[in-house]
Amino acid sequence: MHNKEIELLIPELRQEAGLRLQKMVSSMEESGLDAMLLASNANVFYCAGRFFRGYVYADRSGRRIFFLVRPNCFGEATDVVAIRKPENIPAELERLGIPMPATLGLELDVLSYSEIERLRKVFPDATIGNASEAMRRCRMTKTPYELKLMREDGMHQMAVYQKIPQLYKREMTDVELQVEIERMLRLEGNLGFLRVAGNLMEINLGSVICGDNADAPSPYDFAMGGAGVSPALPCGACGDIMKVGQTVMVDMNGCFNGWQTDMTRVWSIGDPGRLARDAHACSRRILRELEKMAVPGVAVCDLYERAHAIVEEEGLDDYFMGHRQKAGFIGHGVGIELNEQPPITPRNRQPLLGNMTLAIEPKFVIPGVGAVGVENTYVVTIDGLDNLTPFPEEITDLL
Amino acid sequence: MHNKEIELLIPELRQEAGLRLQKMVSSMEESGLDAMLLASNANVFYCAGRFFRGYVYADRSGRRIFFLVRPNCFGEATDVVAIRKPENIPAELERLGIPMPATLGLELDVLSYSEIERLRKVFPDATIGNASEAMRRCRMTKTPYELKLMREDGMHQMAVYQKIPQLYKREMTDVELQVEIERMLRLEGNLGFLRVAGNLMEINLGSVICGDNADAPSPYDFAMGGAGVSPALPCGACGDIMKVGQTVMVDMNGCFNGWQTDMTRVWSIGDPGRLARDAHACSRRILRELEKMAVPGVAVCDLYERAHAIVEEEGLDDYFMGHRQKAGFIGHGVGIELNEQPPITPRNRQPLLGNMTLAIEPKFVIPGVGAVGVENTYVVTIDGLDNLTPFPEEITDLL
């Protein structure tokens, strides 16, 4: 365990550190940034392999300094400088012989207005650019080490999903089932915290939705809503007893090591009926087609369009990605944060790149029954999508 | 259940809605703001009694409009206006005959730089002030209805803490005990999400710390650290087996209805030794003194000073609020967010106000043993502190 160290400074991870820094340099070049100063948890974690309170400074020449406010317990590594506050950074850069950047990237989409205003004053002569965007692009494709971690997440998540039939008891509420799944996740090593990008998205360890709750409109941009049990967290399971004829969609947290997989499977209480079974089969058909089609160079929107064409062909459009309220995407990038680039939307013309990791989730809401569909987390390869969550996809009856 | 409604528009809560709005108006007057436009989850929840994607507009004349982006399912209440994007707001205000504000408060400490820049452009002629500050002040004292909800939280949290001795098994790790407590919390109705202010504080459902892990330096501003099990969430339980002679400090999530109580108790595995017992008794002595002393008008820093004086008198300063790394406070406001105003620090000269809710947590780290001390959530009254978490405070042996 390297809890107390900056992971990416330990010798075994030197190559990984180099790869990530190289990607950041490319991203700075594309964005016209001379340097970036990062403070958000997700980006600090990406750059250092652990969280700390402080800043990561990286410039286009490939220099990278960890400015630590707390904890200050990392010894005397050459890349680590203890500071009391961000106002100390320019003097430290000067001491290290690093030139002031003419154009500095700050995390404009993540840090608060007050935080950015403070940092602007620390670099009064710099033109400020958006490091949030540059880092999203950089983190969008994964290194082999990141893929290894995500593959491990998938193994853990599948090990827990395997146990779900044993957790179900008759007359159970959706919340009660979710609580037992949460416990199994935590005992399997799940960190118990779901890292979502954007300060307006709040969720506990995931969502178990059943029956008409699948169609409850949500304030959040999750693919499926659910009313939740409280207006204080209007999302997911609602506390109703799960009934015969309903489906039980499980979309729970896959974060065991800082990265995460995103995976959905459906069980049922008895027979959910023909329409639900057909829509579920349609979701699987979509995944099979996209698995072959999604190679580097294909436009993201083409994935959406192909999925939608299949849905229309099967006459299931009314139920696709929601019934009363529809989500405008069928998937998203996934990594340190649940919702990374790219979103798979009808308008996103960006091309797929090798080693992007995508959660693809063609789902349907069947009124009176619940949600159906499968979600897997994939890596984009030249041979198509490689599935990090290869787990049986059939609807299994819990009774 | 009013999941689908804006709670503060339902007739039974009209008085509560009026009280909160009145406090917001006072806060605007103190801050010199003509109006506020709020979008953060915590403030939208405070104003509406539920979350939605959108904005709350409130002005000094006491007008309040809910501008909803999604979900758009709230019917035709007069205070609710559906919009597609914030750029629609000025035309809607005009339509409603509401004058443009000369000075507009935005949540500068919470919303991202990009979000604030967008909103500034929507109100190009307004001078922008800081609504984060105004809302923190407003939410710092609680209404009777909020206190009722927090009292309910305390009851639920105590009901779960009551069961902790039955959850312990020999050779258990701290994480395993935490997982069983989490399950009990969730079955008791805990929402499974800990709402913390500030985008750099991350935690799962709380912390169970034991032995030397209590002294692991943390990047976060929590009173006690803990290394966590992963550099991806370096906080709390570390996965070690709990051993004879150690203390087990439990500081877990008390959020059952959107508000929360914050409560810490300590158990032990066998006898934790004289120093731990003395320090724990000192924590209880501090609480008893502060309970009497903390009346409206007393400066917050006086609470800190009195606690510190007792600690010095008992010769326990080396262990107070951490050993290797110390926290700079002994408590904090608590409510919708875990860390509200005021922080109880040596420099905070603000006076206590009636109906402030304070979590007070004089804690000690005893090397080799663990953390000791008690945390209660209190309401400030003219008779001193009223305890929302009146639960036995002794260290109980789990063996």
Side-chain angles (χ1 to χ4, degrees):
Chain A
M1 277 229 296
H2 309 289
N3 277 348
K4 294 182 186 61
E5 299 174 47
I6 292 186
E7 287 244 328
L8 294 187
L9 292 180
I10 68 173
E12 303 85 73
L13 288 174
R14 197 163 290 159
Q15 193 190 2
E16 176 65 13
L19 271 176
R20 291 194 206 163
L21 191 53
Q22 196 179 310
K23 292 175 71 183
M24 289 165 63
V25 167
S26 303
S27 216
M28 283 187 260
E29 281 164 1
E30 284 170 47
S31 307
L33 301 172
D34 295 325
M36 298 195 282
L37 186 70
L38 308 171
S40 74
N41 281 342
N43 284 332
V44 166
F45 181 63
Y46 182 77
C47 296
R50 70 154 283 151
F51 292 96
F52 55 79
R53 179 68 51 93
Y55 303 85
V56 177
Y57 183 90
D59 70 16
R60 231 199 264 194
S61 76
R63 284 294 301 256
R64 182 207 53 201
I65 309 288
F66 300 115
F67 288 106
L68 256 68
V69 177
R70 66 182 285 190
N72 54 6
C73 58
F74 294 104
E76 310 216 332
T78 51
D79 291 347
V80 180
V81 175
I83 57 169
R84 225 164 40 77
K85 51 185 185 179
E87 286 74 11
N88 303 144
I89 293 174
E92 294 293 339
L93 288 176
E94 202 186 334
R95 189 179 61 77
L96 294 164
I98 298 175
M100 288 296 120
T103 305
L104 177 68
L106 297 175
E107 295 161 297
L108 304 185
D109 299 346
V110 183
L111 297 198
S112 74
Y113 185 86
S114 303
E115 289 167 309
I116 294 288
E117 281 299 298
R118 180 174 180 181
L119 293 176
R120 283 168 80 101
K121 289 190 189 115
V122 175
F123 294 89
D125 301 325
T127 302
I128 302 300
N130 194 351
S132 295
E133 210 175 271
M135 288 303 298
R136 279 198 296 265
R137 199 166 52 241
C138 168
R139 282 169 38 200
M140 179 170 69
T141 57
K142 270 65 178 178
T143 65
Y145 179 74
E146 288 183 280
L147 292 177
K148 179 175 124 338
L149 291 176
M150 289 181 66
R151 222 173 273 278
E152 282 172 14
D153 283 319
M155 303 288 278
H156 289 301
Q157 197 171 16
M158 289 190 286
V160 173
Y161 277 41
Q162 180 71 43
K163 293 174 184 147
I164 288 174
Q166 290 130 259
L167 301 176
Y168 174 76
K169 290 189 179 60
R170 274 170 201 256
E171 299 296 301
M172 210 177 205
T173 68
D174 53 1
V175 172
E176 286 164 348
L177 179 59
Q178 176 165 338
V179 171
E180 301 307 328
I181 299 172
E182 287 174 2
R183 176 171 176 273
M184 289 317 243
L185 282 167
R186 294 281 284 135
L187 292 175
E188 179 75 22
N190 189 287
L191 299 183
F193 178 76
L194 188 48
R195 192 165 281 116
V196 182
N199 58 19
L200 296 178
M201 301 269 282
E202 293 182 334
I203 189 168
N204 50 35
L205 277 201
S207 119
V208 170
I209 45 178
C210 192
D212 272 334
N213 187 43
D215 211 16
S218 163
Y220 307 120
D221 288 333
F222 297 114
M224 296 287 115
V229 290
S230 164
L233 196 70
C235 182
C238 68
D240 284 351
I241 290 173
M242 299 180 286
K243 296 203 187 80
V244 171
Q246 292 181 334
T247 57
V248 184
M249 175 174 272
V250 177
D251 185 0
M252 295 288 294
N253 185 332
C255 176
F256 297 81
N257 54 36
W259 279 256
Q260 56 193 310
T261 42
D262 195 1
M263 172 187 176
T264 302
R265 291 296 184 272
V266 174
W267 284 264
S268 69
I269 317 289
D271 181 4
R274 176 71 180 269
L275 180 57
R277 281 184 272 115
D278 286 351
H280 191 77
C282 179
S283 171
R284 297 180 63 191
R285 180 183 158 201
I286 291 169
L287 290 179
R288 295 299 89 77
E289 292 223 15
L290 299 189
E291 284 165 8
K292 282 179 284 184
M293 170 184 171
V295 293
V298 169
V300 166
C301 55
D302 291 350
L303 301 184
Y304 186 96
E305 286 315 326
R306 183 65 198 121
H308 194 228
I310 295 171
V311 169
E312 288 203 309
E313 187 190 310
E314 301 204 8
L316 293 166
D317 211 16
D318 275 358
Y319 315 107
F320 190 47
M321 297 312 293
H323 181 62
R324 286 164 64 200
Q325 177 178 288
K326 285 174 181 286
F329 61 95
I330 58 157
H332 50 86
V334 59
I336 294 172
E337 291 171 313
L338 183 67
N339 47 342
E340 301 201 342
Q341 292 294 305
I344 306 178
T345 64
R347 291 190 179 186
N348 184 354
R349 303 203 57 76
Q350 73 183 115
L352 290 176
L353 301 173
N355 299 327
M356 274 182 173
T357 42
L358 302 175
I360 308 187
E361 48 180 330
K363 292 176 180 171
F364 298 84
V365 170
I366 311 299
V369 174
V372 294
V374 170
E375 174 179 36
N376 287 317
T377 295
Y378 296 104
V379 193
V380 176
T381 79
I382 50 168
D383 300 319
L385 297 175
D386 182 12
N387 191 356
L388 300 183
T389 51
F391 185 84
E393 295 179 349
E394 296 80 12
I395 299 180
T396 307
D397 190 345
L398 290 172
L399 285 184
Chain B
M1 276 231 295
H2 308 290
N3 277 348
K4 295 183 185 58
E5 299 175 47
I6 292 187
E7 286 245 328
L8 293 186
L9 291 180
I10 69 174
E12 303 85 73
L13 287 173
R14 196 164 289 161
Q15 193 190 1
E16 175 65 15
L19 271 176
R20 291 194 206 163
L21 191 55
Q22 196 179 309
K23 292 174 71 184
M24 288 166 63
V25 168
S26 303
S27 216
M28 282 187 261
E29 281 163 1
E30 285 170 46
S31 308
L33 300 173
D34 295 326
M36 298 195 283
L37 186 70
L38 308 171
S40 74
N41 281 342
N43 284 331
V44 166
F45 181 63
Y46 181 77
C47 296
R50 70 155 283 150
F51 292 95
F52 55 78
R53 180 68 51 94
Y55 303 85
V56 178
Y57 183 89
D59 71 16
R60 234 200 263 196
S61 76
R63 284 294 301 258
R64 183 208 50 201
I65 310 289
F66 300 114
F67 289 106
L68 257 67
V69 177
R70 67 182 285 190
N72 54 4
C73 57
F74 295 103
E76 309 215 334
T78 53
D79 292 347
V80 180
V81 176
I83 57 170
R84 224 164 39 78
K85 50 185 187 180
E87 286 74 12
N88 303 143
I89 293 174
E92 294 292 341
L93 288 175
E94 202 186 334
R95 189 178 60 78
L96 294 163
I98 297 174
M100 287 296 120
T103 306
L104 177 68
L106 298 175
E107 296 161 296
L108 304 185
D109 299 346
V110 183
L111 297 199
S112 74
Y113 185 87
S114 303
E115 289 167 308
I116 294 289
E117 281 299 300
R118 180 173 181 182
L119 294 176
R120 282 168 81 101
K121 289 191 189 114
V122 175
F123 293 89
D125 301 324
T127 302
I128 301 300
N130 194 351
S132 295
E133 209 174 272
M135 287 304 297
R136 278 196 296 265
R137 201 165 53 241
C138 168
R139 282 170 38 202
M140 178 170 70
T141 57
K142 270 65 179 178
T143 65
Y145 179 74
E146 289 183 279
L147 292 177
K148 179 176 124 337
L149 292 176
M150 289 182 66
R151 222 173 273 279
E152 283 173 14
D153 284 318
M155 302 288 278
H156 290 300
Q157 198 171 15
M158 290 190 285
V160 172
Y161 277 40
Q162 181 71 44
K163 292 175 185 146
I164 288 175
Q166 289 130 259
L167 301 177
Y168 174 75
K169 291 190 179 61
R170 276 171 201 256
E171 300 294 302
M172 209 177 206
T173 67
D174 53 0
V175 171
E176 285 165 348
L177 178 59
Q178 175 165 338
V179 171
E180 300 308 329
I181 299 171
E182 286 174 1
R183 175 171 178 272
M184 287 312 218
L185 282 166
R186 294 282 284 136
L187 292 175
E188 180 73 22
N190 188 288
L191 299 183
F193 178 75
L194 188 48
R195 192 165 281 116
V196 182
N199 58 19
L200 296 177
M201 303 267 282
E202 292 182 334
I203 189 169
N204 50 35
L205 277 201
S207 117
V208 170
I209 44 178
C210 193
D212 272 334
N213 187 42
D215 211 17
S218 163
Y220 306 120
D221 289 333
F222 297 114
M224 297 286 114
V229 290
S230 164
L233 196 71
C235 182
C238 68
D240 285 351
I241 290 173
M242 298 180 285
K243 296 203 187 80
V244 172
Q246 293 181 333
T247 57
V248 183
M249 176 174 271
V250 177
D251 185 0
M252 294 289 293
N253 185 332
C255 176
F256 296 81
N257 54 37
W259 279 258
Q260 56 193 308
T261 42
D262 195 2
M263 172 187 176
T264 302
R265 290 297 183 272
V266 174
W267 284 264
S268 70
I269 317 289
D271 182 3
R274 177 69 179 271
L275 180 57
R277 281 184 274 114
D278 285 352
H280 191 76
C282 179
S283 170
R284 297 179 64 192
R285 180 182 157 202
I286 291 168
L287 291 179
R288 295 301 88 74
E289 292 222 17
L290 299 189
E291 284 165 8
K292 282 180 285 184
M293 171 185 170
V295 293
V298 168
V300 166
C301 54
D302 291 351
L303 302 183
Y304 186 96
E305 286 314 327
R306 184 65 197 121
H308 194 229
I310 294 172
V311 169
E312 288 204 310
E313 187 189 311
E314 301 204 8
L316 292 166
D317 212 17
D318 274 359
Y319 315 107
F320 190 48
M321 297 312 293
H323 182 62
R324 285 163 64 199
Q325 177 178 286
K326 284 174 182 287
F329 62 94
I330 58 158
H332 50 85
V334 59
I336 294 173
E337 291 171 313
L338 183 68
N339 47 344
E340 301 201 342
Q341 291 294 304
I344 306 179
T345 64
R347 290 189 179 186
N348 185 354
R349 302 202 57 76
Q350 72 183 116
L352 291 177
L353 302 173
N355 298 327
M356 275 182 172
T357 41
L358 302 175
I360 309 189
E361 48 181 329
K363 292 175 181 172
F364 298 85
V365 170
I366 312 299
V369 175
V372 294
V374 169
E375 174 178 39
N376 287 317
T377 296
Y378 296 104
V379 193
V380 176
T381 79
I382 49 168
D383 299 319
L385 297 175
D386 182 12
N387 192 356
L388 300 183
T389 51
F391 185 84
E393 294 180 349
E394 296 80 11
I395 300 180
T396 306
D397 190 346
L398 291 171
L399 284 185

